[in-house]
Amino acid sequence: MTEWLGMPPLAAAHGGQIDSLIGWIHIFMLVLFVGWGGFFLYAIVRFRKSRNPVADYAGVRSHRSTYMEIGVAVVEAILLVGFAIPLWAARVDRMPPENEALVVQVTAEQFAWNVRYAGPDGVFGKTDIKLVDLQSNPLGVDRSDPPAKDDVVTLNQIYLPVNKPIIVKLRSKDVIHSFGVPEFRVKQDAIPGLTIPIWFIPNVTTADMRTRTSNAEFQYEIACAQLCGLGHARMRGFVTVVSADEFQKWMEERIAELADPFK
Ligand SMILES: [Cu+2]
């Protein structure tokens, strides 16, 4: 229903709810704009100087404007209590269980996205700040820790299987960044010192989206949505949504690379 807003194409299961909220807000705001604008014009004509040569200090005696203001407050309360709070609860408070989801750790830094998967064992290995090396080990993964051996780290590239709940655990190494993928209708600030989870279910693969948009080069793009420094504009990452099988294959290739990085 929100095509008229020119939103980017939708590619996540919950996105319809977000879009309809955005649509309703626009409709209500249009009604408010037209209503208040009309009232403003009415007031200019009704209280013109030629009709009211002397100021009336008692002012308007009818209660109509009070009722209108109450009406506006009621509409706003409905938006907040009826739409925004339930959607917030569903989207933010109710996380899917981690064993049914793919957990991806995304650590923002000036000016890149470091992505880490737990690998086949499903456990993120230890990290140590002493091991951080901007080129070879940006997250300081301690490869001597057994669960860390199969941790897969990528730069500015997130591979995701389609139709599976994804939990992104968002962190930052330096300043406040913001993880935004418009097609998934997610946007969340990454704040140093905090790990903030967000979740979504991507439901259109990159290949399908290329056909749907007739754009052979289409990519889901992670845009840093907070001005985070001089290189902010080039802080882009890419999300590739693939079938479960293709994801499995991609993961196996990365694991093979870990075993033999010079292959
Ligand atoms: Cu940034």
Side-chain angles (χ1 to χ4, degrees):
M1 64 164 270
T2 43
E3 289 77 25
W4 53 280
L5 288 173
M7 304 274 279
L10 188 60
H14 72 278
Q17 281 172 292
I18 305 272
D19 284 9
S20 78
L21 180 64
I22 293 175
W24 280 112
I25 289 173
H26 278 79
I27 292 167
F28 282 133
M29 291 308 127
L30 186 69
V31 170
L32 273 188
F33 177 73
V34 171
W36 282 129
F39 180 70
F40 175 62
L41 293 177
Y42 166 79
I44 286 176
V45 176
R46 172 69 182 77
F47 302 106
R48 64 189 184 277
K49 193 184 168 200
S50 63
R51 199 177 150 178
N52 306 273
V54 180
D56 174 357
Y57 291 102
V60 177
R61 281 164 196 86
S62 115
H63 290 293
R64 240 184 302 164
S65 66
T66 313
Y67 298 143
M68 276 164 66
E69 280 186 47
I70 292 173
V72 170
V74 168
V75 168
E76 282 171 3
I78 292 173
L79 276 182
L80 195 64
V81 179
F83 294 89
I85 292 175
L87 189 54
W88 177 267
R91 289 298 311 140
V92 179
D93 285 346
R94 275 175 242 141
M95 283 271 155
E98 287 196 3
N99 54 6
E100 287 166 26
L102 173 72
V103 181
V104 187
Q105 198 185 68
V106 175
T107 307
E109 69 172 81
Q110 288 172 321
F111 299 95
W113 302 97
N114 296 289
V115 182
R116 178 154 76 123
Y117 297 85
D121 67 352
V123 182
F124 286 99
K126 279 203 202 96
T127 55
D128 187 337
I129 199 161
K130 287 192 224 84
L131 298 170
V132 170
D133 178 285
L134 280 186
Q135 290 308 313
S136 64
N137 194 356
L139 294 172
V141 178
D142 181 356
R143 295 288 180 191
S144 66
D145 180 40
K149 288 203 163 44
D150 64 351
D151 283 12
V152 167
V153 176
T154 62
L155 184 67
N156 295 327
Q157 291 288 348
I158 306 184
Y159 265 69
L160 298 177
V162 74
N163 293 329
K164 188 178 168 101
I166 309 295
I167 299 177
V168 171
K169 296 207 168 167
L170 202 55
R171 316 189 305 166
S172 170
K173 278 165 86 170
D174 36 44
V175 299
I176 299 177
H177 300 272
S178 183
F179 177 89
V181 185
E183 289 84 1
F184 300 158
R185 307 294 193 265
V186 289
K187 187 174 283 171
Q188 170 63 53
D189 278 8
I191 297 167
L194 294 181
T195 299
I196 303 175
I198 45 171
W199 75 280
F200 52 91
I201 304 175
N203 59 5
V204 184
T205 62
T206 298
D208 284 349
M209 196 52 106
R210 284 180 178 172
T211 335
R212 204 177 285 187
T213 57
S214 336
N215 174 5
E217 263 127 57
F218 177 88
Q219 287 270 32
Y220 294 117
E221 215 177 282
I222 313 163
C224 183
Q226 282 288 4
L227 188 54
C228 58
L230 272 181
H232 167 69
R234 59 185 158 79
M235 186 166 168
R236 343 151 59 190
F238 298 97
V239 183
T240 308
V241 181
V242 294
S243 70
D245 290 345
E246 284 169 287
F247 179 74
Q248 191 60 35
K249 218 178 111 211
W250 177 83
M251 186 54 83
E252 277 159 18
E253 281 166 17
R254 298 287 84 70
I255 304 278
E257 261 177 24
L258 276 179
D260 182 6
F262 301 107
K263 205 168 75 179

